[in-house]
Amino acid sequence: MIRRGKPSSAIHANMTPMIDVTFLLIVFFVVVSQIVDREAVSMDLPKPDRSVAGVPEETNCVVVNIVPSEEGEIAGFVVGGHSLGVNALGELTEIVRIRMQGGATDVHLRADRSTKYTHIHQTIEAIRNVGTTPRLQLVVSGEER
Amino acid sequence: MIRRKRSSGMIGLNLTSMIDVVFLLLVYFMVATEFKTAEESFPMDVPLRQGGDTLSLDNEPLVILVESAGSGSNDIRVRLEGPWQPIASLQELSKFLRSNRVSSLANGGLFAPSHPMLIKPTKETRWEHAVSAYNIVVDAQYTNILLDEPS
């Protein structure tokens, strides 16, 4: 019985460019993933028609997120990365105060477009209780350019 | 001259496991990466409490009442407190504010750009409607704008 021998030269793919591209992609994603704002909670921000809002300056700021629930109600707050309950307005004030003492100048207020104004107002009042004069930034969705 | 014969067996690097790991990392970062959406903001100064809870303003502010009539972005009702002409829409509010602003280019006008504008939504007003009214006042080039307690 005659056996056919295997071809001696195996086909090799040149892996070098593929590895180059793959490493480039990894470096890209590693760098870009650091850009994500970890303090911001994902929500449907207001988007006024013909908005004249400006891009907020890159200052030392504290972000106050009003976490939306159903039908304009709220589920709590996320302030400077700390999750708080609906009734924890005193703690919200304390966190903002500490961040202001640490050099923060602006307070970014982020709320869902459907949130009832009564919740927004009580949050602004809690920020007013800090005692200093923070500049409030009412955050809205940016224009798609 | 004696030439040394090269060894026939080359040292080969097994790339399979490295490529596995690299692709795993790539997939992880592709899934985990979340791009920050473009955000803008309206600056608003928060007045300090001075004795009481009420805001103390030098001039009598123009009070703009804002109410939600539905869940759509245009389902908004605005009116002015006081003896002013009725306002039916944000466009009319914009026209009123622009035509009554004291300007160096035109004679007349009732409100200086620094005149206090008090936006007063109801408790049930959607945040987007309050912000839309705020946007109209900023667009009309007024600088002293406050959000009041809900009516």
Side-chain angles (χ1 to χ4, degrees):
Chain A
M1 189 176 160
I2 303 165
R3 285 188 182 176
R4 285 186 183 172
K6 284 185 179 177
S8 59
S9 59
I11 299 168
H12 290 287
N14 187 5
M15 306 298 269
T16 316
M18 191 190 74
I19 293 170
D20 285 350
V21 171
T22 310
F23 269 109
L24 270 177
L25 283 170
I26 285 179
V27 169
F28 169 75
F29 281 110
V30 167
V31 171
V32 161
S33 65
Q34 300 300 313
I35 293 169
V36 176
D37 190 348
R38 295 183 192 283
E39 286 196 9
V41 175
S42 177
M43 63 177 78
D44 199 6
L45 292 168
K47 193 173 184 183
D49 287 341
R50 293 187 294 277
S51 172
V52 290
V55 178
E57 292 170 14
E58 291 293 328
T59 53
N60 189 356
C61 68
V62 51
V63 182
V64 176
N65 296 275
I66 303 176
V67 183
S69 179
E70 291 177 351
E71 296 182 357
E73 299 299 329
I74 61 170
F77 306 93
V78 175
V79 186
H82 300 273
S83 294
L84 303 174
V86 179
N87 299 316
L89 288 167
E91 292 174 40
L92 186 151
T93 305
E94 277 308 305
I95 293 171
V96 175
R97 180 179 288 132
I98 290 165
R99 291 290 297 269
M100 297 288 292
Q101 285 167 352
T105 53
D106 288 19
V107 177
H108 287 212
L109 182 65
R110 299 177 82 255
D112 191 273
R113 62 174 62 182
S114 65
T115 303
K116 289 178 182 172
Y117 179 71
T118 185
H119 302 301
I120 309 290
H121 180 256
Q122 67 182 11
T123 310
I124 293 175
E125 287 300 301
I127 294 166
R128 277 183 75 197
N129 285 338
V130 169
T132 52
T133 52
R135 206 163 66 131
L136 202 61
Q137 300 278 356
L138 310 175
V139 180
V140 297
S141 182
E143 288 289 316
E144 289 169 7
R145 295 187 174 97
Chain B
M1 190 177 149
I2 300 166
R3 283 189 183 176
R4 282 190 184 171
K5 207 176 178 180
R6 279 187 180 176
S7 60
S8 59
M10 286 173 66
I11 299 167
L13 195 66
N14 187 6
L15 293 172
T16 316
S17 50
M18 192 190 75
I19 292 170
D20 284 350
V21 172
V22 165
F23 270 107
L24 269 177
L25 283 170
L26 184 61
V27 169
Y28 166 75
F29 281 113
M30 283 175 75
V31 171
T33 302
E34 189 181 332
F35 290 96
K36 186 182 175 183
T37 52
E39 290 182 359
E40 294 174 347
S41 68
F42 294 103
M44 187 180 91
D45 290 323
V46 182
L48 282 172
R49 293 184 197 284
Q50 291 173 344
D53 273 350
T54 51
L55 300 170
S56 58
L57 299 167
D58 296 335
N59 295 327
E60 188 68 24
L62 179 71
V63 181
I64 302 164
L65 301 159
V66 184
E67 201 175 347
S68 293
S71 57
S73 58
N74 293 321
D75 297 332
I76 176 172
R77 285 198 208 111
V78 285
R79 62 193 170 89
L80 300 172
E81 202 174 71
W84 306 107
Q85 57 183 324
I87 297 288
S89 64
L90 285 178
Q91 287 74 26
E92 285 186 25
L93 174 66
S94 175
K95 200 174 164 186
F96 172 84
L97 292 173
R98 285 172 180 276
S99 61
N100 285 300
R101 179 168 48 82
V102 175
S103 167
S104 59
L105 300 173
N107 293 326
L110 294 169
F111 309 115
S114 60
H115 189 90
M117 297 285 159
L118 209 57
I119 296 171
K120 199 177 180 77
T122 64
K123 284 182 181 176
E124 302 293 310
T125 301
R126 289 164 63 88
W127 179 228
E128 66 173 332
H129 293 149
V131 171
S132 292
Y134 198 99
N135 179 55
I136 290 293
V137 184
V138 174
D139 192 31
Q141 296 175 5
Y142 289 92
T143 54
N144 190 4
I145 312 163
L146 288 169
L147 285 166
D148 199 9
E149 60 186 57
S151 56

mmCIF file of all heavy atoms in Angstrom, chain B residues 4-47:
data_model
loop_
_atom_site.group_PDB
_atom_site.id
_atom_site.type_symbol
_atom_site.label_atom_id
_atom_site.label_comp_id
_atom_site.label_asym_id
_atom_site.label_seq_id
_atom_site.Cartn_x
_atom_site.Cartn_y
_atom_site.Cartn_z
ATOM 1 N N ARG B 4 30.519 26.858 8.969
ATOM 2 C CA ARG B 4 29.648 26.096 9.852
ATOM 3 C C ARG B 4 28.269 25.998 9.235
ATOM 4 O O ARG B 4 27.741 26.960 8.694
ATOM 5 C CB ARG B 4 29.545 26.783 11.214
ATOM 6 C CG ARG B 4 30.761 26.519 12.040
ATOM 7 C CD ARG B 4 30.533 27.001 13.447
ATOM 8 N NE ARG B 4 31.733 26.826 14.228
ATOM 9 C CZ ARG B 4 31.880 27.307 15.442
ATOM 10 N NH1 ARG B 4 30.921 28.006 15.989
ATOM 11 N NH2 ARG B 4 32.984 27.104 16.106
ATOM 12 N N LYS B 5 27.733 24.885 9.342
ATOM 13 C CA LYS B 5 26.410 24.672 8.794
ATOM 14 C C LYS B 5 25.370 25.260 9.771
ATOM 15 O O LYS B 5 25.458 25.088 10.968
ATOM 16 C CB LYS B 5 26.192 23.165 8.663
ATOM 17 C CG LYS B 5 25.225 22.795 7.580
ATOM 18 C CD LYS B 5 25.165 21.265 7.473
ATOM 19 C CE LYS B 5 24.161 20.875 6.426
ATOM 20 N NZ LYS B 5 24.093 19.407 6.327
ATOM 21 N N ARG B 6 24.422 26.009 9.204
ATOM 22 C CA ARG B 6 23.370 26.539 10.061
ATOM 23 C C ARG B 6 22.470 25.404 10.517
ATOM 24 O O ARG B 6 22.195 24.476 9.780
ATOM 25 C CB ARG B 6 22.516 27.552 9.315
ATOM 26 C CG ARG B 6 23.134 28.909 9.252
ATOM 27 C CD ARG B 6 22.147 29.875 8.657
ATOM 28 N NE ARG B 6 22.710 31.189 8.576
ATOM 29 C CZ ARG B 6 22.074 32.208 8.024
ATOM 30 N NH1 ARG B 6 20.884 32.040 7.495
ATOM 31 N NH2 ARG B 6 22.637 33.378 7.979
ATOM 32 N N SER B 7 22.006 25.608 11.769
ATOM 33 C CA SER B 7 21.098 24.558 12.260
ATOM 34 C C SER B 7 19.768 24.666 11.517
ATOM 35 O O SER B 7 19.250 25.750 11.280
ATOM 36 C CB SER B 7 20.864 24.731 13.769
ATOM 37 O OG SER B 7 20.298 25.990 13.992
ATOM 38 N N SER B 8 19.240 23.585 11.155
ATOM 39 C CA SER B 8 18.036 23.584 10.326
ATOM 40 C C SER B 8 16.776 23.958 11.127
ATOM 41 O O SER B 8 15.854 24.536 10.598
ATOM 42 C CB SER B 8 17.842 22.212 9.693
ATOM 43 O OG SER B 8 17.724 21.261 10.734
ATOM 44 N N GLY B 9 16.734 23.661 12.429
ATOM 45 C CA GLY B 9 15.534 23.938 13.238
ATOM 46 C C GLY B 9 15.531 25.355 13.762
ATOM 47 O O GLY B 9 16.337 25.705 14.612
ATOM 48 N N MET B 10 14.618 26.223 13.232
ATOM 49 C CA MET B 10 14.530 27.606 13.725
ATOM 50 C C MET B 10 13.696 27.643 14.997
ATOM 51 O O MET B 10 12.779 26.835 15.169
ATOM 52 C CB MET B 10 13.865 28.500 12.671
ATOM 53 C CG MET B 10 14.786 28.794 11.500
ATOM 54 S SD MET B 10 13.910 29.670 10.213
ATOM 55 C CE MET B 10 13.563 31.189 11.033
ATOM 56 N N ILE B 11 14.015 28.588 15.874
ATOM 57 C CA ILE B 11 13.245 28.719 17.113
ATOM 58 C C ILE B 11 11.927 29.424 16.782
ATOM 59 O O ILE B 11 11.919 30.572 16.362
ATOM 60 C CB ILE B 11 14.020 29.534 18.168
ATOM 61 C CG1 ILE B 11 15.313 28.812 18.499
ATOM 62 C CG2 ILE B 11 13.186 29.739 19.429
ATOM 63 C CD1 ILE B 11 16.285 29.656 19.280
ATOM 64 N N GLY B 12 10.827 28.767 16.927
ATOM 65 C CA GLY B 12 9.526 29.334 16.582
ATOM 66 C C GLY B 12 8.763 29.750 17.831
ATOM 67 O O GLY B 12 8.769 29.040 18.833
ATOM 68 N N LEU B 13 8.144 30.932 17.748
ATOM 69 C CA LEU B 13 7.341 31.428 18.879
ATOM 70 C C LEU B 13 5.890 31.031 18.639
ATOM 71 O O LEU B 13 5.347 31.304 17.580
ATOM 72 C CB LEU B 13 7.465 32.953 18.942
ATOM 73 C CG LEU B 13 7.019 33.634 20.223
ATOM 74 C CD1 LEU B 13 7.926 33.248 21.377
ATOM 75 C CD2 LEU B 13 7.022 35.138 20.034
ATOM 76 N N ASN B 14 5.298 30.399 19.616
ATOM 77 C CA ASN B 14 3.904 30.003 19.460
ATOM 78 C C ASN B 14 3.010 31.211 19.769
ATOM 79 O O ASN B 14 2.887 31.629 20.910
ATOM 80 C CB ASN B 14 3.585 28.839 20.395
ATOM 81 C CG ASN B 14 2.216 28.296 20.130
ATOM 82 O OD1 ASN B 14 1.558 28.712 19.171
ATOM 83 N ND2 ASN B 14 1.776 27.368 20.950
ATOM 84 N N LEU B 15 2.429 31.754 18.734
ATOM 85 C CA LEU B 15 1.662 32.996 18.883
ATOM 86 C C LEU B 15 0.198 32.757 19.238
ATOM 87 O O LEU B 15 -0.513 33.702 19.564
ATOM 88 C CB LEU B 15 1.727 33.802 17.581
ATOM 89 C CG LEU B 15 3.093 34.345 17.214
ATOM 90 C CD1 LEU B 15 3.062 34.957 15.828
ATOM 91 C CD2 LEU B 15 3.528 35.396 18.216
ATOM 92 N N THR B 16 -0.245 31.547 19.165
ATOM 93 C CA THR B 16 -1.681 31.267 19.313
ATOM 94 C C THR B 16 -2.243 31.784 20.635
ATOM 95 O O THR B 16 -3.252 32.494 20.666
ATOM 96 C CB THR B 16 -1.928 29.757 19.218
ATOM 97 O OG1 THR B 16 -1.156 29.253 18.133
ATOM 98 C CG2 THR B 16 -3.391 29.460 18.996
ATOM 99 N N SER B 17 -1.564 31.453 21.732
ATOM 100 C CA SER B 17 -2.100 31.863 23.036
ATOM 101 C C SER B 17 -2.075 33.371 23.192
ATOM 102 O O SER B 17 -2.997 33.974 23.753
ATOM 103 C CB SER B 17 -1.315 31.208 24.172
ATOM 104 O OG SER B 17 0.064 31.417 23.947
ATOM 105 N N MET B 18 -1.016 34.007 22.654
ATOM 106 C CA MET B 18 -0.939 35.468 22.769
ATOM 107 C C MET B 18 -2.079 36.121 21.987
ATOM 108 O O MET B 18 -2.726 37.062 22.469
ATOM 109 C CB MET B 18 0.403 35.975 22.247
ATOM 110 C CG MET B 18 0.653 37.429 22.608
ATOM 111 S SD MET B 18 2.052 38.127 21.775
ATOM 112 C CE MET B 18 1.428 38.358 20.143
ATOM 113 N N ILE B 19 -2.334 35.623 20.808
ATOM 114 C CA ILE B 19 -3.419 36.185 19.992
ATOM 115 C C ILE B 19 -4.764 35.973 20.685
ATOM 116 O O ILE B 19 -5.626 36.855 20.668
ATOM 117 C CB ILE B 19 -3.396 35.564 18.583
ATOM 118 C CG1 ILE B 19 -2.148 36.036 17.853
ATOM 119 C CG2 ILE B 19 -4.642 35.957 17.791
ATOM 120 C CD1 ILE B 19 -1.895 35.318 16.569
ATOM 121 N N ASP B 20 -4.930 34.819 21.324
ATOM 122 C CA ASP B 20 -6.167 34.576 22.089
ATOM 123 C C ASP B 20 -6.382 35.661 23.136
ATOM 124 O O ASP B 20 -7.452 36.249 23.240
ATOM 125 C CB ASP B 20 -6.094 33.207 22.782
ATOM 126 C CG ASP B 20 -6.320 32.073 21.810
ATOM 127 O OD1 ASP B 20 -6.716 32.373 20.659
ATOM 128 O OD2 ASP B 20 -6.101 30.912 22.181
ATOM 129 N N VAL B 21 -5.337 35.907 23.905
ATOM 130 C CA VAL B 21 -5.438 36.894 24.992
ATOM 131 C C VAL B 21 -5.681 38.288 24.425
ATOM 132 O O VAL B 21 -6.524 39.043 24.917
ATOM 133 C CB VAL B 21 -4.145 36.873 25.849
ATOM 134 C CG1 VAL B 21 -4.147 38.007 26.853
ATOM 135 C CG2 VAL B 21 -4.022 35.549 26.555
ATOM 136 N N VAL B 22 -4.951 38.612 23.361
ATOM 137 C CA VAL B 22 -5.075 39.936 22.760
ATOM 138 C C VAL B 22 -6.493 40.160 22.246
ATOM 139 O O VAL B 22 -7.101 41.209 22.463
ATOM 140 C CB VAL B 22 -4.034 40.094 21.632
ATOM 141 C CG1 VAL B 22 -4.367 41.294 20.757
ATOM 142 C CG2 VAL B 22 -2.650 40.262 22.225
ATOM 143 N N PHE B 23 -7.061 39.164 21.598
ATOM 144 C CA PHE B 23 -8.430 39.299 21.099
ATOM 145 C C PHE B 23 -9.441 39.395 22.236
ATOM 146 O O PHE B 23 -10.419 40.137 22.152
ATOM 147 C CB PHE B 23 -8.786 38.144 20.163
ATOM 148 C CG PHE B 23 -8.449 38.443 18.735
ATOM 149 C CD1 PHE B 23 -7.378 37.840 18.111
ATOM 150 C CD2 PHE B 23 -9.194 39.359 18.018
ATOM 151 C CE1 PHE B 23 -7.053 38.136 16.801
ATOM 152 C CE2 PHE B 23 -8.873 39.670 16.702
ATOM 153 C CZ PHE B 23 -7.796 39.048 16.096
ATOM 154 N N LEU B 24 -9.176 38.657 23.311
ATOM 155 C CA LEU B 24 -10.057 38.774 24.487
ATOM 156 C C LEU B 24 -10.050 40.195 25.033
ATOM 157 O O LEU B 24 -11.090 40.769 25.347
ATOM 158 C CB LEU B 24 -9.613 37.796 25.578
ATOM 159 C CG LEU B 24 -10.248 36.412 25.549
ATOM 160 C CD1 LEU B 24 -9.646 35.542 26.635
ATOM 161 C CD2 LEU B 24 -11.753 36.513 25.749
ATOM 162 N N LEU B 25 -8.841 40.764 25.147
ATOM 163 C CA LEU B 25 -8.725 42.148 25.622
ATOM 164 C C LEU B 25 -9.455 43.102 24.690
ATOM 165 O O LEU B 25 -10.162 44.010 25.132
ATOM 166 C CB LEU B 25 -7.245 42.554 25.711
ATOM 167 C CG LEU B 25 -6.462 42.036 26.906
ATOM 168 C CD1 LEU B 25 -4.988 42.325 26.719
ATOM 169 C CD2 LEU B 25 -6.970 42.716 28.174
ATOM 170 N N LEU B 26 -9.286 42.890 23.403
ATOM 171 C CA LEU B 26 -9.926 43.758 22.414
ATOM 172 C C LEU B 26 -11.440 43.711 22.551
ATOM 173 O O LEU B 26 -12.105 44.757 22.600
ATOM 174 C CB LEU B 26 -9.505 43.327 21.014
ATOM 175 C CG LEU B 26 -10.015 44.186 19.860
ATOM 176 C CD1 LEU B 26 -9.516 45.606 19.992
ATOM 177 C CD2 LEU B 26 -9.588 43.595 18.530
ATOM 178 N N VAL B 27 -11.983 42.525 22.661
ATOM 179 C CA VAL B 27 -13.433 42.367 22.790
ATOM 180 C C VAL B 27 -13.903 43.015 24.085
ATOM 181 O O VAL B 27 -14.910 43.726 24.109
ATOM 182 C CB VAL B 27 -13.822 40.873 22.741
ATOM 183 C CG1 VAL B 27 -15.278 40.688 23.141
ATOM 184 C CG2 VAL B 27 -13.582 40.308 21.356
ATOM 185 N N TYR B 28 -13.132 42.825 25.187
ATOM 186 C CA TYR B 28 -13.511 43.416 26.474
ATOM 187 C C TYR B 28 -13.619 44.938 26.355
ATOM 188 O O TYR B 28 -14.606 45.546 26.757
ATOM 189 C CB TYR B 28 -12.499 43.035 27.560
ATOM 190 C CG TYR B 28 -12.646 43.874 28.810
ATOM 191 C CD1 TYR B 28 -13.696 43.648 29.701
ATOM 192 C CD2 TYR B 28 -11.768 44.914 29.074
ATOM 193 C CE1 TYR B 28 -13.852 44.432 30.822
ATOM 194 C CE2 TYR B 28 -11.918 45.706 30.191
ATOM 195 C CZ TYR B 28 -12.960 45.452 31.072
ATOM 196 O OH TYR B 28 -13.120 46.239 32.172
ATOM 197 N N PHE B 29 -12.578 45.556 25.802
ATOM 198 C CA PHE B 29 -12.591 47.019 25.726
ATOM 199 C C PHE B 29 -13.654 47.533 24.760
ATOM 200 O O PHE B 29 -14.246 48.581 24.979
ATOM 201 C CB PHE B 29 -11.210 47.545 25.334
ATOM 202 C CG PHE B 29 -10.259 47.565 26.495
ATOM 203 C CD1 PHE B 29 -9.160 46.737 26.533
ATOM 204 C CD2 PHE B 29 -10.484 48.401 27.574
ATOM 205 C CE1 PHE B 29 -8.291 46.745 27.605
ATOM 206 C CE2 PHE B 29 -9.630 48.419 28.661
ATOM 207 C CZ PHE B 29 -8.528 47.578 28.674
ATOM 208 N N MET B 30 -13.896 46.795 23.684
ATOM 209 C CA MET B 30 -14.947 47.214 22.742
ATOM 210 C C MET B 30 -16.317 47.195 23.414
ATOM 211 O O MET B 30 -17.143 48.071 23.197
ATOM 212 C CB MET B 30 -14.958 46.313 21.513
ATOM 213 C CG MET B 30 -13.838 46.623 20.543
ATOM 214 S SD MET B 30 -13.774 45.484 19.180
ATOM 215 C CE MET B 30 -15.165 46.037 18.218
ATOM 216 N N VAL B 31 -16.549 46.182 24.244
ATOM 217 C CA VAL B 31 -17.852 46.077 24.913
ATOM 218 C C VAL B 31 -17.953 47.083 26.053
ATOM 219 O O VAL B 31 -18.984 47.728 26.252
ATOM 220 C CB VAL B 31 -18.065 44.631 25.425
ATOM 221 C CG1 VAL B 31 -19.300 44.548 26.301
ATOM 222 C CG2 VAL B 31 -18.192 43.677 24.253
ATOM 223 N N ALA B 32 -16.867 47.250 26.810
ATOM 224 C CA ALA B 32 -16.911 48.060 28.031
ATOM 225 C C ALA B 32 -16.837 49.561 27.755
ATOM 226 O O ALA B 32 -17.266 50.359 28.573
ATOM 227 C CB ALA B 32 -15.775 47.661 28.966
ATOM 228 N N THR B 33 -16.302 49.946 26.609
ATOM 229 C CA THR B 33 -16.133 51.372 26.340
ATOM 230 C C THR B 33 -17.477 52.031 26.076
ATOM 231 O O THR B 33 -18.283 51.531 25.307
ATOM 232 C CB THR B 33 -15.212 51.583 25.125
ATOM 233 O OG1 THR B 33 -13.964 50.971 25.400
ATOM 234 C CG2 THR B 33 -14.995 53.065 24.872
ATOM 235 N N GLU B 34 -17.680 53.143 26.767
ATOM 236 C CA GLU B 34 -18.917 53.901 26.585
ATOM 237 C C GLU B 34 -18.509 55.347 26.354
ATOM 238 O O GLU B 34 -17.917 55.971 27.219
ATOM 239 C CB GLU B 34 -19.767 53.781 27.848
ATOM 240 C CG GLU B 34 -21.151 54.335 27.700
ATOM 241 C CD GLU B 34 -21.913 54.197 29.009
ATOM 242 O OE1 GLU B 34 -21.610 53.275 29.781
ATOM 243 O OE2 GLU B 34 -22.778 55.030 29.257
ATOM 244 N N PHE B 35 -18.798 55.836 25.171
ATOM 245 C CA PHE B 35 -18.370 57.183 24.851
ATOM 246 C C PHE B 35 -19.255 58.201 25.566
ATOM 247 O O PHE B 35 -20.470 58.023 25.644
ATOM 248 C CB PHE B 35 -18.410 57.415 23.346
ATOM 249 C CG PHE B 35 -17.361 56.643 22.611
ATOM 250 C CD1 PHE B 35 -17.651 55.420 22.044
ATOM 251 C CD2 PHE B 35 -16.074 57.121 22.520
ATOM 252 C CE1 PHE B 35 -16.687 54.695 21.380
ATOM 253 C CE2 PHE B 35 -15.095 56.400 21.860
ATOM 254 C CZ PHE B 35 -15.404 55.191 21.289
ATOM 255 N N LYS B 36 -18.616 59.238 26.045
ATOM 256 C CA LYS B 36 -19.359 60.287 26.741
ATOM 257 C C LYS B 36 -20.149 61.095 25.708
ATOM 258 O O LYS B 36 -19.590 61.541 24.705
ATOM 259 C CB LYS B 36 -18.355 61.193 27.459
ATOM 260 C CG LYS B 36 -18.980 62.238 28.326
ATOM 261 C CD LYS B 36 -17.889 63.093 28.948
ATOM 262 C CE LYS B 36 -18.491 64.220 29.736
ATOM 263 N NZ LYS B 36 -17.432 65.084 30.283
ATOM 264 N N THR B 37 -21.443 61.283 25.977
ATOM 265 C CA THR B 37 -22.250 62.059 25.048
ATOM 266 C C THR B 37 -21.984 63.546 25.261
ATOM 267 O O THR B 37 -21.632 63.973 26.355
ATOM 268 C CB THR B 37 -23.741 61.785 25.274
ATOM 269 O OG1 THR B 37 -24.032 61.974 26.644
ATOM 270 C CG2 THR B 37 -24.105 60.370 24.874
ATOM 271 N N ALA B 38 -22.172 64.296 24.212
ATOM 272 C CA ALA B 38 -21.921 65.738 24.295
ATOM 273 C C ALA B 38 -22.944 66.380 25.221
ATOM 274 O O ALA B 38 -24.139 66.132 25.104
ATOM 275 C CB ALA B 38 -22.020 66.345 22.907
ATOM 276 N N GLU B 39 -22.449 67.164 26.146
ATOM 277 C CA GLU B 39 -23.339 67.843 27.087
ATOM 278 C C GLU B 39 -23.021 69.325 27.115
ATOM 279 O O GLU B 39 -21.873 69.721 26.967
ATOM 280 C CB GLU B 39 -23.186 67.244 28.496
ATOM 281 C CG GLU B 39 -23.751 65.846 28.606
ATOM 282 C CD GLU B 39 -23.639 65.278 30.012
ATOM 283 O OE1 GLU B 39 -23.100 65.968 30.891
ATOM 284 O OE2 GLU B 39 -24.087 64.146 30.203
ATOM 285 N N GLU B 40 -24.067 70.108 27.305
ATOM 286 C CA GLU B 40 -23.906 71.545 27.450
ATOM 287 C C GLU B 40 -24.603 71.962 28.736
ATOM 288 O O GLU B 40 -25.260 71.128 29.376
ATOM 289 C CB GLU B 40 -24.507 72.258 26.229
ATOM 290 C CG GLU B 40 -23.747 71.951 24.944
ATOM 291 C CD GLU B 40 -24.395 72.514 23.704
ATOM 292 O OE1 GLU B 40 -25.559 72.934 23.790
ATOM 293 O OE2 GLU B 40 -23.744 72.517 22.660
ATOM 294 N N SER B 41 -24.465 73.223 29.095
ATOM 295 C CA SER B 41 -25.096 73.625 30.354
ATOM 296 C C SER B 41 -25.440 75.111 30.343
ATOM 297 O O SER B 41 -24.872 75.891 29.585
ATOM 298 C CB SER B 41 -24.179 73.320 31.536
ATOM 299 O OG SER B 41 -23.043 74.159 31.485
ATOM 300 N N PHE B 42 -26.411 75.449 31.194
ATOM 301 C CA PHE B 42 -26.767 76.841 31.453
ATOM 302 C C PHE B 42 -26.227 77.194 32.833
ATOM 303 O O PHE B 42 -26.622 76.570 33.827
ATOM 304 C CB PHE B 42 -28.284 77.027 31.471
ATOM 305 C CG PHE B 42 -28.959 76.795 30.156
ATOM 306 C CD1 PHE B 42 -29.638 75.623 29.915
ATOM 307 C CD2 PHE B 42 -28.908 77.752 29.161
ATOM 308 C CE1 PHE B 42 -30.271 75.404 28.708
ATOM 309 C CE2 PHE B 42 -29.536 77.540 27.950
ATOM 310 C CZ PHE B 42 -30.220 76.365 27.721
ATOM 311 N N PRO B 43 -25.346 78.180 32.946
ATOM 312 C CA PRO B 43 -24.882 78.581 34.280
ATOM 313 C C PRO B 43 -25.960 79.357 35.016
ATOM 314 O O PRO B 43 -26.684 80.152 34.416
ATOM 315 C CB PRO B 43 -23.657 79.443 33.995
ATOM 316 C CG PRO B 43 -23.823 79.912 32.606
ATOM 317 C CD PRO B 43 -24.694 78.947 31.875
ATOM 318 N N MET B 44 -26.083 79.090 36.311
ATOM 319 C CA MET B 44 -27.051 79.830 37.129
ATOM 320 C C MET B 44 -26.435 80.075 38.501
ATOM 321 O O MET B 44 -25.946 79.134 39.131
ATOM 322 C CB MET B 44 -28.346 79.020 37.287
ATOM 323 C CG MET B 44 -29.450 79.798 37.984
ATOM 324 S SD MET B 44 -30.963 78.851 38.155
ATOM 325 C CE MET B 44 -30.721 78.092 39.739
ATOM 326 N N ASP B 45 -26.433 81.320 38.913
ATOM 327 C CA ASP B 45 -25.903 81.623 40.242
ATOM 328 C C ASP B 45 -26.953 81.276 41.289
ATOM 329 O O ASP B 45 -28.123 81.619 41.144
ATOM 330 C CB ASP B 45 -25.526 83.104 40.339
ATOM 331 C CG ASP B 45 -24.309 83.409 39.490
ATOM 332 O OD1 ASP B 45 -23.403 82.559 39.435
ATOM 333 O OD2 ASP B 45 -24.272 84.476 38.854
ATOM 334 N N VAL B 46 -26.507 80.596 42.324
ATOM 335 C CA VAL B 46 -27.422 80.231 43.412
ATOM 336 C C VAL B 46 -27.279 81.261 44.504
ATOM 337 O O VAL B 46 -26.215 81.381 45.114
ATOM 338 C CB VAL B 46 -27.081 78.827 43.960
ATOM 339 C CG1 VAL B 46 -28.064 78.430 45.039
ATOM 340 C CG2 VAL B 46 -27.095 77.813 42.838
ATOM 341 N N PRO B 47 -28.328 82.062 44.754
ATOM 342 C CA PRO B 47 -28.198 83.090 45.792
ATOM 343 C C PRO B 47 -28.128 82.482 47.183
ATOM 344 O O PRO B 47 -28.748 81.448 47.452
ATOM 345 C CB PRO B 47 -29.460 83.936 45.622
ATOM 346 C CG PRO B 47 -30.425 83.067 44.913
ATOM 347 C CD PRO B 47 -29.653 82.058 44.142
#
